[in-house]
Amino acid sequence: MDETRENRIENTPILEVKNLKKYFSVPAGLVHAVDDISFSIDAGRTLGVVGESGCGKSTLGRVLIHLLESNAGQILFFGRDITHVDRQELTTLRKKMQMIFQDPYSSLNPRMSLYESIAEPLRIMGHDNSGQIQEKVYRIMDTVGLARRLVNSYPHELDGGRRQRIGIARALVIEPEFVVCDEPVSALDVSIQAQILNLMSDIQEERKLTYIFVTHDLSVVKYISNDILVMYLGQMVEKAPAKELFRHRLHPYTKALLSAVPLPDIRHKKRRIALKGELTSPIDPPPGCRFASRCPYAREICHSKTPVCEEVLPDHFAACHLVREINGLS
Ligand code: SF4
């Protein structure tokens, strides 16, 4: 790692997100996919983003690395405003921010060999020295555990684990500092998932990478994350260090979500909280708490006033009008 990068890593927020919004226009109105989200991540850490399917977590990841443009808010990368960038700035940014996709099969070009797939991002970034490209491709293949004898193989000849290793190699070959991982193990067999998660942790340690890890799988997020952000219908409802969140979840939605995670000790049975009630539509949602229609604690205020996400315990944020009462806090 170069010295400049090492110096920048000491307790620096690599990414700051302020009141970020992403809406999609549909015939019935506006889908509030990401709605007023603010957070920051220090360099070298992993932020897990969890929530049910359709909560906006993947959209958030795509907006952060400019695969989608935001409608409002601000994104700062090492303190620099990157909310709106032109084509040239985007190319520079791509060297520092990358994405690992969920489905390694559909994200790879079936007509490209393993070598060409991994070399492609380098060529897009302007590398044209074939000797250097080969050196970088072989080095990253070694790092992600792809045997060199596979170099001329095509995606259909490889299993899911190897295809995902190619996806990781493609993202990391240009040596980014920040990587959005969008459900990177959910398409893999459970036995392969652990190998890929361990690999990603090792690479993070070695390269001091910062990850945003988007997943619906709470066991995975608990394993990989330093901090966890819980999303519900486009909004952040809770954020805390991972260990703290699994010990004391404060928001009623997080309590229900985490009640579904199996405990390692079968002697201790956990009561699963079943959510009842209609899901609020993400299209032009009404004012108030978006979880109110399913929340067992909802009162009148919950249907009229949108709760603000505030620090309830040290470094532990939640968006709920009744959070103190529900959790017996003063
Ligand atoms: Fe439930 Fe009200 Fe809190 Fe929303 S604000 S989570 S409806 S208690």
Side-chain angles (χ1 to χ4, degrees), residues 4-41:
T4 343
R5 186 159 162 183
E6 185 111 50
N7 290 341
R8 285 160 70 187
I9 278 168
E10 294 291 314
N11 299 323
T12 318
I14 188 169
L15 189 85
E16 289 173 82
V17 174
K18 297 179 182 173
N19 308 105
L20 196 68
K21 294 184 183 182
K22 176 63 188 172
Y23 295 170
F24 294 102
S25 184
V26 294
L30 281 179
V31 176
H32 292 219
V34 173
D35 209 357
D36 209 9
I37 287 199
S38 303
F39 63 90
S40 68
I41 319 173

PDB file of all heavy atoms in Angstrom, residues 4-41:
ATOM      1  N   THR A   4       0.800   7.503   0.890  1.00  0.00           N
ATOM      2  CA  THR A   4      -0.281   8.499   0.925  1.00  0.00           C
ATOM      3  C   THR A   4      -1.576   7.844   1.387  1.00  0.00           C
ATOM      4  O   THR A   4      -2.319   8.352   2.205  1.00  0.00           O
ATOM      5  CB  THR A   4      -0.536   9.043  -0.502  1.00  0.00           C
ATOM      6  OG1 THR A   4       0.549   8.743  -1.321  1.00  0.00           O
ATOM      7  CG2 THR A   4      -0.910  10.483  -0.484  1.00  0.00           C
ATOM      8  N   ARG A   5      -1.797   6.625   0.834  1.00  0.00           N
ATOM      9  CA  ARG A   5      -3.014   5.918   1.182  1.00  0.00           C
ATOM     10  C   ARG A   5      -3.028   5.530   2.656  1.00  0.00           C
ATOM     11  O   ARG A   5      -4.026   5.657   3.335  1.00  0.00           O
ATOM     12  CB  ARG A   5      -3.131   4.679   0.302  1.00  0.00           C
ATOM     13  CG  ARG A   5      -4.420   3.952   0.475  1.00  0.00           C
ATOM     14  CD  ARG A   5      -4.673   3.102  -0.729  1.00  0.00           C
ATOM     15  NE  ARG A   5      -5.655   2.086  -0.442  1.00  0.00           N
ATOM     16  CZ  ARG A   5      -6.025   1.177  -1.306  1.00  0.00           C
ATOM     17  NH1 ARG A   5      -5.526   1.167  -2.503  1.00  0.00           N
ATOM     18  NH2 ARG A   5      -6.926   0.282  -0.975  1.00  0.00           N
ATOM     19  N   GLU A   6      -1.839   5.072   3.143  1.00  0.00           N
ATOM     20  CA  GLU A   6      -1.720   4.695   4.551  1.00  0.00           C
ATOM     21  C   GLU A   6      -2.069   5.887   5.447  1.00  0.00           C
ATOM     22  O   GLU A   6      -2.832   5.761   6.401  1.00  0.00           O
ATOM     23  CB  GLU A   6      -0.306   4.224   4.836  1.00  0.00           C
ATOM     24  CG  GLU A   6      -0.117   3.693   6.221  1.00  0.00           C
ATOM     25  CD  GLU A   6       0.125   2.187   6.192  1.00  0.00           C
ATOM     26  OE1 GLU A   6       0.979   1.724   5.442  1.00  0.00           O
ATOM     27  OE2 GLU A   6      -0.574   1.512   6.930  1.00  0.00           O
ATOM     28  N   ASN A   7      -1.520   7.066   5.099  1.00  0.00           N
ATOM     29  CA  ASN A   7      -1.762   8.258   5.909  1.00  0.00           C
ATOM     30  C   ASN A   7      -3.226   8.642   5.930  1.00  0.00           C
ATOM     31  O   ASN A   7      -3.753   9.087   6.935  1.00  0.00           O
ATOM     32  CB  ASN A   7      -0.963   9.451   5.355  1.00  0.00           C
ATOM     33  CG  ASN A   7       0.517   9.255   5.595  1.00  0.00           C
ATOM     34  OD1 ASN A   7       0.894   8.456   6.431  1.00  0.00           O
ATOM     35  ND2 ASN A   7       1.340   9.966   4.847  1.00  0.00           N
ATOM     36  N   ARG A   8      -3.897   8.452   4.782  1.00  0.00           N
ATOM     37  CA  ARG A   8      -5.302   8.866   4.683  1.00  0.00           C
ATOM     38  C   ARG A   8      -6.220   7.956   5.493  1.00  0.00           C
ATOM     39  O   ARG A   8      -7.347   8.296   5.798  1.00  0.00           O
ATOM     40  CB  ARG A   8      -5.737   8.840   3.217  1.00  0.00           C
ATOM     41  CG  ARG A   8      -5.182  10.001   2.442  1.00  0.00           C
ATOM     42  CD  ARG A   8      -5.198   9.718   0.985  1.00  0.00           C
ATOM     43  NE  ARG A   8      -6.541   9.702   0.449  1.00  0.00           N
ATOM     44  CZ  ARG A   8      -6.823   9.342  -0.798  1.00  0.00           C
ATOM     45  NH1 ARG A   8      -5.877   8.991  -1.609  1.00  0.00           N
ATOM     46  NH2 ARG A   8      -8.053   9.350  -1.216  1.00  0.00           N
ATOM     47  N   ILE A   9      -5.717   6.752   5.820  1.00  0.00           N
ATOM     48  CA  ILE A   9      -6.595   5.768   6.426  1.00  0.00           C
ATOM     49  C   ILE A   9      -6.865   5.990   7.913  1.00  0.00           C
ATOM     50  O   ILE A   9      -7.920   5.649   8.405  1.00  0.00           O
ATOM     51  CB  ILE A   9      -6.042   4.365   6.120  1.00  0.00           C
ATOM     52  CG1 ILE A   9      -6.524   4.009   4.711  1.00  0.00           C
ATOM     53  CG2 ILE A   9      -6.467   3.336   7.095  1.00  0.00           C
ATOM     54  CD1 ILE A   9      -5.857   2.812   4.152  1.00  0.00           C
ATOM     55  N   GLU A  10      -5.928   6.623   8.620  1.00  0.00           N
ATOM     56  CA  GLU A  10      -6.063   6.813  10.063  1.00  0.00           C
ATOM     57  C   GLU A  10      -7.369   7.529  10.430  1.00  0.00           C
ATOM     58  O   GLU A  10      -7.497   8.718  10.236  1.00  0.00           O
ATOM     59  CB  GLU A  10      -4.886   7.637  10.589  1.00  0.00           C
ATOM     60  CG  GLU A  10      -3.542   6.943  10.483  1.00  0.00           C
ATOM     61  CD  GLU A  10      -3.425   5.770  11.426  1.00  0.00           C
ATOM     62  OE1 GLU A  10      -3.807   5.950  12.588  1.00  0.00           O
ATOM     63  OE2 GLU A  10      -2.992   4.694  11.012  1.00  0.00           O
ATOM     64  N   ASN A  11      -8.350   6.793  10.928  1.00  0.00           N
ATOM     65  CA  ASN A  11      -9.600   7.358  11.449  1.00  0.00           C
ATOM     66  C   ASN A  11     -10.231   8.419  10.555  1.00  0.00           C
ATOM     67  O   ASN A  11     -10.704   9.428  11.033  1.00  0.00           O
ATOM     68  CB  ASN A  11      -9.373   7.977  12.844  1.00  0.00           C
ATOM     69  CG  ASN A  11      -8.918   6.949  13.824  1.00  0.00           C
ATOM     70  OD1 ASN A  11      -9.381   5.821  13.776  1.00  0.00           O
ATOM     71  ND2 ASN A  11      -7.997   7.329  14.690  1.00  0.00           N
ATOM     72  N   THR A  12     -10.192   8.197   9.277  1.00  0.00           N
ATOM     73  CA  THR A  12     -10.770   9.183   8.360  1.00  0.00           C
ATOM     74  C   THR A  12     -12.088   8.647   7.839  1.00  0.00           C
ATOM     75  O   THR A  12     -12.141   7.502   7.410  1.00  0.00           O
ATOM     76  CB  THR A  12      -9.848   9.358   7.130  1.00  0.00           C
ATOM     77  OG1 THR A  12      -8.527   9.383   7.575  1.00  0.00           O
ATOM     78  CG2 THR A  12     -10.205  10.577   6.330  1.00  0.00           C
ATOM     79  N   PRO A  13     -13.140   9.487   7.848  1.00  0.00           N
ATOM     80  CA  PRO A  13     -14.327   8.989   7.147  1.00  0.00           C
ATOM     81  C   PRO A  13     -14.027   8.967   5.649  1.00  0.00           C
ATOM     82  O   PRO A  13     -13.724  10.003   5.069  1.00  0.00           O
ATOM     83  CB  PRO A  13     -15.430   9.985   7.480  1.00  0.00           C
ATOM     84  CG  PRO A  13     -14.841  11.015   8.357  1.00  0.00           C
ATOM     85  CD  PRO A  13     -13.353  10.789   8.431  1.00  0.00           C
ATOM     86  N   ILE A  14     -14.057   7.797   5.069  1.00  0.00           N
ATOM     87  CA  ILE A  14     -13.794   7.701   3.633  1.00  0.00           C
ATOM     88  C   ILE A  14     -15.009   8.219   2.870  1.00  0.00           C
ATOM     89  O   ILE A  14     -14.877   8.834   1.817  1.00  0.00           O
ATOM     90  CB  ILE A  14     -13.428   6.249   3.251  1.00  0.00           C
ATOM     91  CG1 ILE A  14     -12.954   6.162   1.800  1.00  0.00           C
ATOM     92  CG2 ILE A  14     -14.529   5.266   3.471  1.00  0.00           C
ATOM     93  CD1 ILE A  14     -12.333   4.823   1.435  1.00  0.00           C
ATOM     94  N   LEU A  15     -16.183   7.963   3.450  1.00  0.00           N
ATOM     95  CA  LEU A  15     -17.412   8.341   2.759  1.00  0.00           C
ATOM     96  C   LEU A  15     -18.381   8.995   3.739  1.00  0.00           C
ATOM     97  O   LEU A  15     -18.591   8.481   4.835  1.00  0.00           O
ATOM     98  CB  LEU A  15     -18.055   7.080   2.172  1.00  0.00           C
ATOM     99  CG  LEU A  15     -19.223   7.315   1.235  1.00  0.00           C
ATOM    100  CD1 LEU A  15     -18.704   7.581  -0.180  1.00  0.00           C
ATOM    101  CD2 LEU A  15     -20.147   6.120   1.199  1.00  0.00           C
ATOM    102  N   GLU A  16     -18.938  10.123   3.336  1.00  0.00           N
ATOM    103  CA  GLU A  16     -19.988  10.774   4.128  1.00  0.00           C
ATOM    104  C   GLU A  16     -21.182  10.996   3.221  1.00  0.00           C
ATOM    105  O   GLU A  16     -21.033  11.510   2.115  1.00  0.00           O
ATOM    106  CB  GLU A  16     -19.515  12.118   4.658  1.00  0.00           C
ATOM    107  CG  GLU A  16     -18.467  12.001   5.748  1.00  0.00           C
ATOM    108  CD  GLU A  16     -17.910  13.357   6.101  1.00  0.00           C
ATOM    109  OE1 GLU A  16     -18.533  14.084   6.881  1.00  0.00           O
ATOM    110  OE2 GLU A  16     -16.849  13.695   5.549  1.00  0.00           O
ATOM    111  N   VAL A  17     -22.334  10.601   3.715  1.00  0.00           N
ATOM    112  CA  VAL A  17     -23.560  10.706   2.930  1.00  0.00           C
ATOM    113  C   VAL A  17     -24.525  11.594   3.699  1.00  0.00           C
ATOM    114  O   VAL A  17     -24.765  11.364   4.887  1.00  0.00           O
ATOM    115  CB  VAL A  17     -24.168   9.297   2.729  1.00  0.00           C
ATOM    116  CG1 VAL A  17     -25.505   9.366   2.045  1.00  0.00           C
ATOM    117  CG2 VAL A  17     -23.213   8.421   1.951  1.00  0.00           C
ATOM    118  N   LYS A  18     -25.027  12.633   3.034  1.00  0.00           N
ATOM    119  CA  LYS A  18     -25.899  13.575   3.746  1.00  0.00           C
ATOM    120  C   LYS A  18     -27.241  13.722   3.030  1.00  0.00           C
ATOM    121  O   LYS A  18     -27.281  14.145   1.872  1.00  0.00           O
ATOM    122  CB  LYS A  18     -25.217  14.948   3.824  1.00  0.00           C
ATOM    123  CG  LYS A  18     -23.927  14.919   4.626  1.00  0.00           C
ATOM    124  CD  LYS A  18     -23.272  16.270   4.661  1.00  0.00           C
ATOM    125  CE  LYS A  18     -21.955  16.215   5.435  1.00  0.00           C
ATOM    126  NZ  LYS A  18     -21.194  17.448   5.369  1.00  0.00           N
ATOM    127  N   ASN A  19     -28.309  13.337   3.711  1.00  0.00           N
ATOM    128  CA  ASN A  19     -29.685  13.512   3.216  1.00  0.00           C
ATOM    129  C   ASN A  19     -29.869  13.031   1.780  1.00  0.00           C
ATOM    130  O   ASN A  19     -30.503  13.697   0.956  1.00  0.00           O
ATOM    131  CB  ASN A  19     -30.097  14.987   3.324  1.00  0.00           C
ATOM    132  CG  ASN A  19     -29.856  15.524   4.722  1.00  0.00           C
ATOM    133  OD1 ASN A  19     -28.908  16.284   4.955  1.00  0.00           O
ATOM    134  ND2 ASN A  19     -30.667  15.105   5.668  1.00  0.00           N
ATOM    135  N   LEU A  20     -29.321  11.872   1.499  1.00  0.00           N
ATOM    136  CA  LEU A  20     -29.333  11.352   0.124  1.00  0.00           C
ATOM    137  C   LEU A  20     -30.734  10.857  -0.270  1.00  0.00           C
ATOM    138  O   LEU A  20     -31.404  10.169   0.510  1.00  0.00           O
ATOM    139  CB  LEU A  20     -28.328  10.200   0.010  1.00  0.00           C
ATOM    140  CG  LEU A  20     -27.942   9.802  -1.398  1.00  0.00           C
ATOM    141  CD1 LEU A  20     -27.134  10.915  -2.081  1.00  0.00           C
ATOM    142  CD2 LEU A  20     -27.137   8.512  -1.396  1.00  0.00           C
ATOM    143  N   LYS A  21     -31.145  11.214  -1.493  1.00  0.00           N
ATOM    144  CA  LYS A  21     -32.449  10.774  -1.992  1.00  0.00           C
ATOM    145  C   LYS A  21     -32.319  10.226  -3.410  1.00  0.00           C
ATOM    146  O   LYS A  21     -31.579  10.789  -4.224  1.00  0.00           O
ATOM    147  CB  LYS A  21     -33.440  11.948  -2.028  1.00  0.00           C
ATOM    148  CG  LYS A  21     -33.779  12.483  -0.664  1.00  0.00           C
ATOM    149  CD  LYS A  21     -34.834  13.560  -0.745  1.00  0.00           C
ATOM    150  CE  LYS A  21     -35.088  14.123   0.650  1.00  0.00           C
ATOM    151  NZ  LYS A  21     -36.118  15.136   0.693  1.00  0.00           N
ATOM    152  N   LYS A  22     -33.030   9.137  -3.668  1.00  0.00           N
ATOM    153  CA  LYS A  22     -33.145   8.633  -5.026  1.00  0.00           C
ATOM    154  C   LYS A  22     -34.602   8.217  -5.254  1.00  0.00           C
ATOM    155  O   LYS A  22     -35.108   7.312  -4.573  1.00  0.00           O
ATOM    156  CB  LYS A  22     -32.215   7.416  -5.248  1.00  0.00           C
ATOM    157  CG  LYS A  22     -32.366   6.790  -6.619  1.00  0.00           C
ATOM    158  CD  LYS A  22     -31.970   7.739  -7.734  1.00  0.00           C
ATOM    159  CE  LYS A  22     -32.302   7.201  -9.109  1.00  0.00           C
ATOM    160  NZ  LYS A  22     -32.075   8.216 -10.171  1.00  0.00           N
ATOM    161  N   TYR A  23     -35.267   8.928  -6.149  1.00  0.00           N
ATOM    162  CA  TYR A  23     -36.656   8.623  -6.475  1.00  0.00           C
ATOM    163  C   TYR A  23     -36.724   8.120  -7.916  1.00  0.00           C
ATOM    164  O   TYR A  23     -35.947   8.569  -8.767  1.00  0.00           O
ATOM    165  CB  TYR A  23     -37.538   9.886  -6.377  1.00  0.00           C
ATOM    166  CG  TYR A  23     -37.661  10.483  -4.977  1.00  0.00           C
ATOM    167  CD1 TYR A  23     -38.251  11.736  -4.804  1.00  0.00           C
ATOM    168  CD2 TYR A  23     -37.216   9.815  -3.861  1.00  0.00           C
ATOM    169  CE1 TYR A  23     -38.381  12.305  -3.543  1.00  0.00           C
ATOM    170  CE2 TYR A  23     -37.332  10.376  -2.595  1.00  0.00           C
ATOM    171  CZ  TYR A  23     -37.909  11.619  -2.431  1.00  0.00           C
ATOM    172  OH  TYR A  23     -38.027  12.183  -1.191  1.00  0.00           O
ATOM    173  N   PHE A  24     -37.667   7.219  -8.167  1.00  0.00           N
ATOM    174  CA  PHE A  24     -37.902   6.754  -9.536  1.00  0.00           C
ATOM    175  C   PHE A  24     -39.315   7.146  -9.932  1.00  0.00           C
ATOM    176  O   PHE A  24     -40.265   6.949  -9.151  1.00  0.00           O
ATOM    177  CB  PHE A  24     -37.778   5.227  -9.634  1.00  0.00           C
ATOM    178  CG  PHE A  24     -36.392   4.713  -9.373  1.00  0.00           C
ATOM    179  CD1 PHE A  24     -36.067   4.150  -8.139  1.00  0.00           C
ATOM    180  CD2 PHE A  24     -35.405   4.778 -10.351  1.00  0.00           C
ATOM    181  CE1 PHE A  24     -34.793   3.672  -7.889  1.00  0.00           C
ATOM    182  CE2 PHE A  24     -34.124   4.299 -10.111  1.00  0.00           C
ATOM    183  CZ  PHE A  24     -33.816   3.742  -8.876  1.00  0.00           C
ATOM    184  N   SER A  25     -39.441   7.661 -11.125  1.00  0.00           N
ATOM    185  CA  SER A  25     -40.763   8.053 -11.607  1.00  0.00           C
ATOM    186  C   SER A  25     -41.465   6.837 -12.220  1.00  0.00           C
ATOM    187  O   SER A  25     -40.889   6.152 -13.063  1.00  0.00           O
ATOM    188  CB  SER A  25     -40.574   9.162 -12.653  1.00  0.00           C
ATOM    189  OG  SER A  25     -41.820   9.616 -13.050  1.00  0.00           O
ATOM    190  N   VAL A  26     -42.671   6.546 -11.767  1.00  0.00           N
ATOM    191  CA  VAL A  26     -43.493   5.470 -12.344  1.00  0.00           C
ATOM    192  C   VAL A  26     -44.853   6.084 -12.664  1.00  0.00           C
ATOM    193  O   VAL A  26     -45.155   7.191 -12.179  1.00  0.00           O
ATOM    194  CB  VAL A  26     -43.649   4.277 -11.350  1.00  0.00           C
ATOM    195  CG1 VAL A  26     -42.320   3.586 -11.107  1.00  0.00           C
ATOM    196  CG2 VAL A  26     -44.282   4.713 -10.037  1.00  0.00           C
ATOM    197  N   PRO A  27     -45.689   5.428 -13.472  1.00  0.00           N
ATOM    198  CA  PRO A  27     -46.973   6.051 -13.843  1.00  0.00           C
ATOM    199  C   PRO A  27     -47.811   6.498 -12.638  1.00  0.00           C
ATOM    200  O   PRO A  27     -48.489   7.521 -12.685  1.00  0.00           O
ATOM    201  CB  PRO A  27     -47.687   4.947 -14.628  1.00  0.00           C
ATOM    202  CG  PRO A  27     -46.572   4.134 -15.201  1.00  0.00           C
ATOM    203  CD  PRO A  27     -45.471   4.164 -14.190  1.00  0.00           C
ATOM    204  N   ALA A  28     -47.727   5.747 -11.522  1.00  0.00           N
ATOM    205  CA  ALA A  28     -48.567   6.091 -10.359  1.00  0.00           C
ATOM    206  C   ALA A  28     -47.966   7.197  -9.487  1.00  0.00           C
ATOM    207  O   ALA A  28     -48.618   7.679  -8.555  1.00  0.00           O
ATOM    208  CB  ALA A  28     -48.792   4.843  -9.517  1.00  0.00           C
ATOM    209  N   GLY A  29     -46.737   7.629  -9.740  1.00  0.00           N
ATOM    210  CA  GLY A  29     -46.118   8.678  -8.903  1.00  0.00           C
ATOM    211  C   GLY A  29     -44.616   8.484  -8.801  1.00  0.00           C
ATOM    212  O   GLY A  29     -43.975   8.052  -9.750  1.00  0.00           O
ATOM    213  N   LEU A  30     -44.084   8.814  -7.617  1.00  0.00           N
ATOM    214  CA  LEU A  30     -42.632   8.693  -7.405  1.00  0.00           C
ATOM    215  C   LEU A  30     -42.336   7.602  -6.371  1.00  0.00           C
ATOM    216  O   LEU A  30     -42.871   7.635  -5.257  1.00  0.00           O
ATOM    217  CB  LEU A  30     -42.074  10.006  -6.869  1.00  0.00           C
ATOM    218  CG  LEU A  30     -41.826  11.159  -7.851  1.00  0.00           C
ATOM    219  CD1 LEU A  30     -41.307  12.373  -7.105  1.00  0.00           C
ATOM    220  CD2 LEU A  30     -40.847  10.750  -8.952  1.00  0.00           C
ATOM    221  N   VAL A  31     -41.478   6.650  -6.761  1.00  0.00           N
ATOM    222  CA  VAL A  31     -41.036   5.620  -5.795  1.00  0.00           C
ATOM    223  C   VAL A  31     -39.897   6.215  -4.995  1.00  0.00           C
ATOM    224  O   VAL A  31     -38.873   6.613  -5.556  1.00  0.00           O
ATOM    225  CB  VAL A  31     -40.545   4.347  -6.527  1.00  0.00           C
ATOM    226  CG1 VAL A  31     -40.005   3.333  -5.519  1.00  0.00           C
ATOM    227  CG2 VAL A  31     -41.642   3.739  -7.374  1.00  0.00           C
ATOM    228  N   HIS A  32     -40.070   6.294  -3.678  1.00  0.00           N
ATOM    229  CA  HIS A  32     -39.027   6.841  -2.800  1.00  0.00           C
ATOM    230  C   HIS A  32     -38.069   5.710  -2.423  1.00  0.00           C
ATOM    231  O   HIS A  32     -38.168   5.137  -1.347  1.00  0.00           O
ATOM    232  CB  HIS A  32     -39.661   7.448  -1.548  1.00  0.00           C
ATOM    233  CG  HIS A  32     -40.454   8.679  -1.825  1.00  0.00           C
ATOM    234  ND1 HIS A  32     -40.462   9.766  -0.982  1.00  0.00           N
ATOM    235  CD2 HIS A  32     -41.251   9.011  -2.864  1.00  0.00           C
ATOM    236  CE1 HIS A  32     -41.242  10.712  -1.483  1.00  0.00           C
ATOM    237  NE2 HIS A  32     -41.744  10.274  -2.628  1.00  0.00           N
ATOM    238  N   ALA A  33     -37.153   5.362  -3.333  1.00  0.00           N
ATOM    239  CA  ALA A  33     -36.288   4.187  -3.118  1.00  0.00           C
ATOM    240  C   ALA A  33     -35.251   4.442  -2.036  1.00  0.00           C
ATOM    241  O   ALA A  33     -34.958   3.566  -1.223  1.00  0.00           O
ATOM    242  CB  ALA A  33     -35.599   3.811  -4.421  1.00  0.00           C
ATOM    243  N   VAL A  34     -34.660   5.639  -2.044  1.00  0.00           N
ATOM    244  CA  VAL A  34     -33.727   6.052  -0.987  1.00  0.00           C
ATOM    245  C   VAL A  34     -34.205   7.426  -0.548  1.00  0.00           C
ATOM    246  O   VAL A  34     -34.319   8.343  -1.359  1.00  0.00           O
ATOM    247  CB  VAL A  34     -32.275   6.134  -1.519  1.00  0.00           C
ATOM    248  CG1 VAL A  34     -31.344   6.724  -0.469  1.00  0.00           C
ATOM    249  CG2 VAL A  34     -31.777   4.758  -1.951  1.00  0.00           C
ATOM    250  N   ASP A  35     -34.528   7.555   0.741  1.00  0.00           N
ATOM    251  CA  ASP A  35     -35.212   8.772   1.159  1.00  0.00           C
ATOM    252  C   ASP A  35     -34.567   9.404   2.386  1.00  0.00           C
ATOM    253  O   ASP A  35     -34.794   8.970   3.510  1.00  0.00           O
ATOM    254  CB  ASP A  35     -36.692   8.442   1.445  1.00  0.00           C
ATOM    255  CG  ASP A  35     -37.585   9.634   1.182  1.00  0.00           C
ATOM    256  OD1 ASP A  35     -37.064  10.706   0.846  1.00  0.00           O
ATOM    257  OD2 ASP A  35     -38.816   9.474   1.315  1.00  0.00           O
ATOM    258  N   ASP A  36     -33.689  10.372   2.128  1.00  0.00           N
ATOM    259  CA  ASP A  36     -33.125  11.180   3.205  1.00  0.00           C
ATOM    260  C   ASP A  36     -32.208  10.378   4.124  1.00  0.00           C
ATOM    261  O   ASP A  36     -32.365  10.382   5.341  1.00  0.00           O
ATOM    262  CB  ASP A  36     -34.276  11.803   4.020  1.00  0.00           C
ATOM    263  CG  ASP A  36     -33.854  13.126   4.636  1.00  0.00           C
ATOM    264  OD1 ASP A  36     -32.766  13.619   4.306  1.00  0.00           O
ATOM    265  OD2 ASP A  36     -34.604  13.645   5.472  1.00  0.00           O
ATOM    266  N   ILE A  37     -31.247   9.697   3.523  1.00  0.00           N
ATOM    267  CA  ILE A  37     -30.336   8.856   4.314  1.00  0.00           C
ATOM    268  C   ILE A  37     -29.018   9.578   4.553  1.00  0.00           C
ATOM    269  O   ILE A  37     -28.449  10.168   3.633  1.00  0.00           O
ATOM    270  CB  ILE A  37     -30.121   7.503   3.599  1.00  0.00           C
ATOM    271  CG1 ILE A  37     -31.407   6.695   3.762  1.00  0.00           C
ATOM    272  CG2 ILE A  37     -28.892   6.774   4.114  1.00  0.00           C
ATOM    273  CD1 ILE A  37     -31.283   5.234   3.538  1.00  0.00           C
ATOM    274  N   SER A  38     -28.540   9.552   5.802  1.00  0.00           N
ATOM    275  CA  SER A  38     -27.260  10.169   6.172  1.00  0.00           C
ATOM    276  C   SER A  38     -26.444   9.184   7.016  1.00  0.00           C
ATOM    277  O   SER A  38     -27.000   8.543   7.921  1.00  0.00           O
ATOM    278  CB  SER A  38     -27.482  11.425   7.017  1.00  0.00           C
ATOM    279  OG  SER A  38     -28.289  12.352   6.345  1.00  0.00           O
ATOM    280  N   PHE A  39     -25.169   9.041   6.687  1.00  0.00           N
ATOM    281  CA  PHE A  39     -24.266   8.218   7.498  1.00  0.00           C
ATOM    282  C   PHE A  39     -22.840   8.470   7.034  1.00  0.00           C
ATOM    283  O   PHE A  39     -22.616   9.167   6.031  1.00  0.00           O
ATOM    284  CB  PHE A  39     -24.595   6.714   7.370  1.00  0.00           C
ATOM    285  CG  PHE A  39     -24.418   6.160   5.991  1.00  0.00           C
ATOM    286  CD1 PHE A  39     -23.211   5.632   5.576  1.00  0.00           C
ATOM    287  CD2 PHE A  39     -25.472   6.167   5.086  1.00  0.00           C
ATOM    288  CE1 PHE A  39     -23.041   5.128   4.295  1.00  0.00           C
ATOM    289  CE2 PHE A  39     -25.322   5.665   3.794  1.00  0.00           C
ATOM    290  CZ  PHE A  39     -24.104   5.145   3.400  1.00  0.00           C
ATOM    291  N   SER A  40     -21.866   7.935   7.777  1.00  0.00           N
ATOM    292  CA  SER A  40     -20.483   8.001   7.298  1.00  0.00           C
ATOM    293  C   SER A  40     -19.784   6.676   7.623  1.00  0.00           C
ATOM    294  O   SER A  40     -20.245   5.920   8.481  1.00  0.00           O
ATOM    295  CB  SER A  40     -19.742   9.174   7.944  1.00  0.00           C
ATOM    296  OG  SER A  40     -19.578   8.927   9.318  1.00  0.00           O
ATOM    297  N   ILE A  41     -18.711   6.382   6.880  1.00  0.00           N
ATOM    298  CA  ILE A  41     -17.922   5.154   7.135  1.00  0.00           C
ATOM    299  C   ILE A  41     -16.464   5.543   7.236  1.00  0.00           C
ATOM    300  O   ILE A  41     -15.951   6.255   6.370  1.00  0.00           O
ATOM    301  CB  ILE A  41     -17.976   4.148   5.962  1.00  0.00           C
ATOM    302  CG1 ILE A  41     -19.366   4.038   5.366  1.00  0.00           C
ATOM    303  CG2 ILE A  41     -17.469   2.784   6.402  1.00  0.00           C
ATOM    304  CD1 ILE A  41     -19.365   3.177   4.117  1.00  0.00           C
TER     305      ILE A  41
END
